[in-house]
Amino acid sequence: MNDSLRGARIATFVYFSLCGTLMGTWVVNIPAVEERVGMTHATLGGLLVLLGLGAFIGMQVAGPLTDRLGARVVVPATGVLCSAALVLPGLPRDPWTLAGALLVFGFCNGCLDVSMNAHAVHVEKAYGRPVMSAFHATFSVGGVLAAVVGAATASAGLSPATGMAAMGVLGIATALISARALLPTVPIAAKAEVRVPERRGTTGRIWILAALALMVMLCEGAANDWSALHLKDVLDAPASTAAFAYGTFAATMTIGRLLADRLAARFGSMAILRHGATTAAVGITIVTVSPWIWAAFAGWALFGLGLSGCVPQLFSAAGHADPAAAGANVSRVAGLGYVGMLAGPAVIGWLTHLVALNHAFVLLILLCAITAVAAGILRTGPDRTPEPAHSGP
């Protein structure tokens, strides 16, 4: 295998980890920032919508920009911008300033998210076999790293701004150092010369992929915010025990993404999406109906394991549908998926006004079932991952 290709894959791992670390650093500092600004949970919840809005806008901007300028330019640039913007939410002392800081940080994070995924598609195409899921697993590892560093800075008595600034400086250095290993930029004129004519229906299929991403990521967002509360409020588990519900979900999500590439190479991306969504449906069904804490843990574990490989397959399919427009297509799928991630907690919260929390999870069962039925969208078309052309790690 070409050393430059291996280096590009390693660099992509670095950027995914960087993105996860930057977002995770903000997440672990939320309580301290909330106290510093002196706002209620309700106010914070409203401001977090601006973070999501900024990310969505950034995704739509960065996708076409990556296609035009190339990932080797856009990925490190957005990595530097996102790292620099990390300190902004740690500085404000009033909600209005924090709102602007979160909008900017979200925008930069969305730009980095889409551009690195577009580059990951090109790396996967060069490898000739699935490698996308492992990149997404590295994003989760970045979140764990942020939690460890955040705990260390808090115990050292550092302010949120100081800790976030230090992580931002490290992020800038990481983004710049890793830039040289990315795949070379292909001039847009050259792309036009080699571009395969777009098949009829490709745009429609991209939006179907985006709709599936919305459903899958809505399920993931619901698990992020409601798994621990489910054990505490529905099953009367102690708070210390309930906290492990999300940990179980996140752990199996990470493990599944580390395994999904090899499974996709052997059985195909459609099988990963179909069987993954089916497994997730079984898991959340167990959560919905079981009166036992141990069974709920098993259900959340299956839910995370099933969902783990779904999003990477959808992103990969979008990118391979038209390599010359990989950034734009990934931005559509990622953008709508991100809407689902943000909407998940809110939708479940709204349903709890009508039914019990565990009964609200029936919606997640339906979304997983729909995804499993619609997985055939990955069977045909130019978005299939190429047959293996390389061996080795």
Side-chain angles (χ1 to χ4, degrees), residues 20-364:
T21 301
L22 295 175
M23 180 56 72
T25 300
W26 153 245
V27 169
V28 299
N29 279 284
I30 286 178
V33 171
E34 183 182 40
E35 181 179 358
R36 175 191 178 98
V37 175
M39 58 186 173
T40 64
H41 293 331
T43 301
L44 175 63
L47 293 181
L48 291 177
V49 173
L50 293 177
L51 177 72
L53 176 62
F56 180 80
I57 296 172
M59 289 175 180
Q60 306 317 303
V61 170
L65 195 63
T66 303
D67 293 332
R68 177 166 294 277
L69 301 181
R72 197 173 193 177
V73 174
V74 178
V75 173
T78 55
V80 169
L81 289 175
C82 190
S83 299
L86 176 62
V87 70
L88 297 180
L91 298 175
R93 294 184 178 274
D94 63 85
W96 291 106
T97 310
L98 180 60
L102 290 177
L103 189 64
V104 173
F105 177 62
F107 176 85
C108 295
N109 185 266
C111 289
L112 175 58
D113 193 311
V114 161
S115 60
M116 70 185 187
N117 270 287
H119 182 263
V121 167
H122 293 306
V123 171
E124 184 174 66
K125 184 175 180 64
Y127 262 78
R129 60 181 174 84
V131 296
M132 179 68 79
S133 293
F135 293 140
H136 285 253
T138 312
F139 179 91
S140 301
V141 173
V144 175
L145 176 61
V148 172
V149 174
T153 56
S155 63
L158 298 179
S159 68
T162 302
M164 295 165 82
M167 184 60 75
V169 171
L170 181 60
I172 291 173
T174 301
L176 293 175
I177 293 172
S178 304
R180 291 179 60 85
L182 296 176
L183 292 178
T185 298
V186 179
I188 194 167
K191 287 183 180 180
E193 291 175 3
V194 300
R195 183 168 180 168
V196 178
E198 188 171 305
R199 297 186 184 185
R200 181 178 299 177
T202 295
T203 300
R205 294 179 70 254
I206 292 297
W207 286 114
I208 293 175
L209 294 173
L212 293 176
L214 183 148
M215 290 187 283
V216 171
M217 294 181 73
L218 188 151
C219 292
E220 186 177 339
N224 290 344
D225 282 31
W226 291 103
S227 53
L229 287 172
H230 164 257
L231 261 76
K232 182 176 181 294
D233 294 346
V234 177
L235 301 182
D236 295 322
S240 57
T241 301
F244 283 102
Y246 173 69
T248 301
F249 170 81
T252 55
M253 173 81 74
T254 303
I255 292 170
R257 284 179 171 172
L258 290 172
L259 299 174
D261 285 332
R262 292 187 181 277
L263 294 176
R266 182 171 182 178
F267 300 108
S269 59
M270 185 192 73
I272 298 299
L273 183 60
R274 174 161 292 163
H275 294 298
T278 301
T279 300
V282 171
I284 197 62
T285 299
I286 293 173
V287 170
T288 301
V289 304
S290 175
W292 302 297
I293 292 176
W294 64 266
F297 277 123
W300 285 117
L302 282 176
F303 194 50
L305 186 65
L307 292 179
S308 62
C310 294
V311 168
Q313 307 312 313
L314 296 171
F315 282 19
S316 178
H320 288 296
D322 183 359
N329 288 336
V330 169
S331 70
R332 292 167 186 159
V333 174
L336 205 56
Y338 202 82
V339 169
M341 176 77 78
L342 294 172
V347 170
I348 296 298
W350 179 79
L351 288 176
T352 59
H353 292 294
L354 305 174
V355 297
L357 175 58
N358 58 318
H359 295 157
F361 291 156
V362 171
L363 172 64
L364 308 184

